[in-house]
């Protein structure tokens, strides 16, 4: 079992990433930390608690982190995820608490306490992770790797070349990619292959209980915004791809490359400049995802959700 900490901004696809991380036996989910991104920190934290309540995840600490990017004002994605950050289904009162510790301090403590290095899986802006590496530089040696959802080898989704998570806090991304910690980047070029077709929605619905219909409703709302904003016939399930890469690396094919973050670009702020052909002569600083085995990815995801659901029944 690979010990992981999921740092997220739920968010429809983050919600499914939480469930995959909690339900799959290949990873040991030590904590869930939240960051401002898709919505404000109070909303992303409430959403993490809602998802854990729904999924019956009561034994994983949830800690709130940074409420804004390192140096810039926050830009949220209400157009994609709604005013709540998790629009679509109705949620009851959350039954899991948020711990009093700041996310960065919780991650620091867990890195110190855990007997082996821990994998960090950020699926929102990289603010918390950059703050951790800045505040506690010695922690780099305790991190096995950082497997993140963000960036793209191709075009962006919030600018011509910028992907949302990197765009919101490019200074944080630059710190993470420059940290020397092994980084794996799962960008839009692969997550756009994880399409939640009507067949996938039907498989989610079939899970039954509360879990199945709520997952299906989440994906139906997500489908409506992706159709409206980008004309997608089915929405891409970005964040679970990063979790899947940790669960079974063979699901996500990667190549070594140098990645530079465009922090001040006149037209390209937040772009990930992925040097796939080594033009710049810089040594690789990341593994960059270039392929996804989508059928096996969805089988693994549905299997994890079935296990979560079975845990609720027993
Ligand atoms: C990323 O941005 C967010 O809207 C999603 O949750 C995902 O992490 C995709 O660009
Ligand atoms: Ca996210």
């Amino acid at each position: 079992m690979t010990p992981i900490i999921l740092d997220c901004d739920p968010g429809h696809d983050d919600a499914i990433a939480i469930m995959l991380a909690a339900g799959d036996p290949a990873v040991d989910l030590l904590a869930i930390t939240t960051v401002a991104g898709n919505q404000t920190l109070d909303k992303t934290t409430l959403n993490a608690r809602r998802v854990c309540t729904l999924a019956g995840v009561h034994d994983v600490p949830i800690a709130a982190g940074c409420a804004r990017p390192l140096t810039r004002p926050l830009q949220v994605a209400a157009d994609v995820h709604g005013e709540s950050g998790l629009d679509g289904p109705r949620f009851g009162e959350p039954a899991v608490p948020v711990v009093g510790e700041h996310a960065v301090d919780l991650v620091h403590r867990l890195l110190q306490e855990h007997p082996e290095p821990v994998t960090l899986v950020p699926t929102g802006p990289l603010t918390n992770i950059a703050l951790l590496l800045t505040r506690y530089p010695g922690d780099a040696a305790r991190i096995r790797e950082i497997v993140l959802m963000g960036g793209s080898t191709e075009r962006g989704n919030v600018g011509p070349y910028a992907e949302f998570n990197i765009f919101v806090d490019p200074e944080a991304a630059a710190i993470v990619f420059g940290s020397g910690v092994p980084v794996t980047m799962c960008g839009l070029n692969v997550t756009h292959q994880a399409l939640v077709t009507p067949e996938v929605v039907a498989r989610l619905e079939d899970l039954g209980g509360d879990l199945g219909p709520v997952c299906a409703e989440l994906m139906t709302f997500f489908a409506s915004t992706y159709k409206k904003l980008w004309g997608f016939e089915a929405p891409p399930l970005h964040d679970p791809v990063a979790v899947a890469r940790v669960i079974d690396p063979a699901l996500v094919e990667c190549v070594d490359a140098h990645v530079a973050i465009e922090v001040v670009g006149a037209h390209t702020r937040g772009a990930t400049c992925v040097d796939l052909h080594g033009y710049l002569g810089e040594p690789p600083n990341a593994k960059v995802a270039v392929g996804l085995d989508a059928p096996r990815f969805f089988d693994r995801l549905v299997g994890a959700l079935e296990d979560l659901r079975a845990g609720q029944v027993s």
Side-chain angles (χ1 to χ4, degrees):
M1 259 190 164
T2 304
I4 70 167
I5 296 171
L6 182 63
D7 182 66
C8 57
D9 62 337
H12 294 71
D13 51 333
D14 301 83
I16 305 293
I18 289 173
M19 294 185 228
L20 174 59
D24 196 287
V27 289
D28 179 12
L29 181 59
L30 302 181
I32 297 166
T33 53
T34 57
V35 67
N38 285 325
Q39 264 298 349
T40 54
L41 182 68
D42 55 340
K43 293 181 183 179
T44 60
T45 305
L46 174 62
N47 289 342
R49 297 170 61 209
R50 285 173 161 160
V51 171
C52 287
T53 302
L54 170 76
V57 178
H58 295 278
D59 54 352
V60 178
I62 301 172
C66 296
R68 60 193 61 84
L70 293 181
T71 64
R72 299 172 188 266
L74 174 64
Q75 178 173 325
V76 300
D79 54 343
V80 184
H81 298 275
E83 279 307 318
S84 73
L86 216 47
D87 275 14
R90 290 173 65 89
F91 290 94
E93 277 301 301
V96 293
V98 60
V99 301
E101 227 172 342
H102 189 282
V104 168
D105 294 321
L106 175 68
V107 175
H108 170 65
R109 184 168 60 75
L110 291 174
L111 289 174
Q112 299 303 310
E113 287 175 5
H114 205 77
E116 55 182 299
V118 174
T119 296
L120 305 184
V121 186
T123 62
L126 289 161
T127 320
N128 287 342
I129 311 301
L131 185 61
L132 174 85
L133 292 167
T134 309
R135 187 179 288 173
Y136 303 112
D139 280 7
R142 303 292 310 151
I143 302 170
R144 180 172 158 182
E145 56 176 333
I146 297 171
V147 182
L148 64 93
M149 190 282 133
S152 175
T153 63
E154 298 166 1
R155 292 296 184 126
N157 62 0
V158 70
Y161 290 97
E163 180 278 331
F164 178 80
N165 289 339
I166 307 297
F167 178 82
V168 169
D169 199 343
E171 286 76 15
I175 289 171
V176 170
F177 278 88
S179 67
V181 176
V183 171
T184 296
M185 174 185 125
C186 301
L188 299 178
N189 53 299
V190 287
T191 66
H192 282 181
Q193 297 168 37
L195 296 173
V196 186
T197 59
E199 292 72 31
V200 174
V201 176
R203 291 174 77 182
L204 297 176
E205 182 94 49
D206 285 349
L207 292 165
D210 291 337
L211 191 68
V214 171
C215 287
E217 284 170 44
L218 283 170
M219 290 303 103
T220 301
F221 179 89
F222 205 38
S224 72
T225 60
Y226 261 84
K227 175 77 177 163
K228 185 172 150 208
L229 294 170
W230 290 288
F232 275 51
E233 289 305 326
L237 205 50
H238 306 283
D239 295 338
V241 171
V243 179
R245 165 70 187 182
V246 182
I247 287 171
D248 179 359
L251 292 173
V252 185
E253 182 194 351
C254 292
V255 297
D256 291 330
H258 186 267
V259 180
I261 306 299
E262 193 66 271
V263 177
V264 290
H267 307 288
T268 55
R269 169 196 147 193
T272 41
C273 184
V274 183
D275 192 8
L276 287 173
H277 303 291
Y279 297 119
L280 302 177
E282 297 283 348
N285 62 351
K287 292 193 180 303
V288 176
V290 293
L292 174 72
D293 186 338
R296 284 214 307 123
F297 164 76
F298 280 111
D299 287 347
R300 190 86 191 212
L301 172 63
V302 172
L305 297 180
E306 281 170 352
D307 285 358
L308 273 183
R309 168 88 181 101
Q312 290 179 327
V313 174
S314 63

